[in-house]
Amino acid sequence: MSEQVEVTLREAKSQLLQLGARAWQGDRVVITKAGKPYLELLPHVATPQARKPGRLKGNIRMLADFDRTPEDVIKGFEG
C-alpha cells in the first residue's frame, strides 16, 4: 500500500535520492514550501507519441520523373 510523504523544500534537497526511490515504489511524495504543497515528485513514464497522419503534408515533394529508373541503374542490377 502506498503512502503520502510530505517534506519541506530544504529536506527534499538533502533527501532527493531516497524520495525518488519512494516515488518509484508508488508513494506519493509532496514537497512543501511555506507549509503549503509546492511540488509533487512523480516517476517518469515514457508515453509513445501517437502518429498523426498528414502532419508533413505540403512539406514533401516528388519529382515528375520519380518512377523512372535510369538505364545505367537497371543495367547495374542486371549485370
Side-chain angles (χ1 to χ4, degrees), residues 19-47:
L19 294 172
R22 290 192 72 168
W24 266 108
Q25 293 170 359
D27 290 344
R28 182 172 182 216
V29 179
V30 177
I31 300 170
T32 61
K33 182 177 181 182
K36 297 179 182 175
Y38 184 65
L39 299 169
E40 187 168 344
L41 189 59
L42 301 170
H44 174 73
V45 178
T47 55

Side-chain angles (χ1 to χ4, degrees), residues 1 10 14 20 22-23 25 33 58 63 65:
M1 185 170 147
R10 179 172 293 206
S14 65
R22 290 192 72 168
Q25 293 170 359
K33 182 177 181 182
L63 298 177
D65 66 346

Side-chain angles (χ1 to χ4, degrees), residues 29-76:
V29 179
V30 177
I31 300 170
T32 61
K33 182 177 181 182
K36 297 179 182 175
Y38 184 65
L39 299 169
E40 187 168 344
L41 189 59
L42 301 170
H44 174 73
V45 178
T47 55
Q49 296 290 328
R51 184 177 174 276
K52 184 178 178 185
R55 67 184 171 92
L56 295 176
K57 186 175 183 176
N59 294 329
I60 298 174
R61 292 184 307 125
M62 294 174 94
L63 298 177
D65 66 346
F66 170 76
D67 58 346
R68 287 189 221 136
T69 307
E71 283 299 316
D72 60 327
V73 173
I74 293 173
K75 288 180 182 177

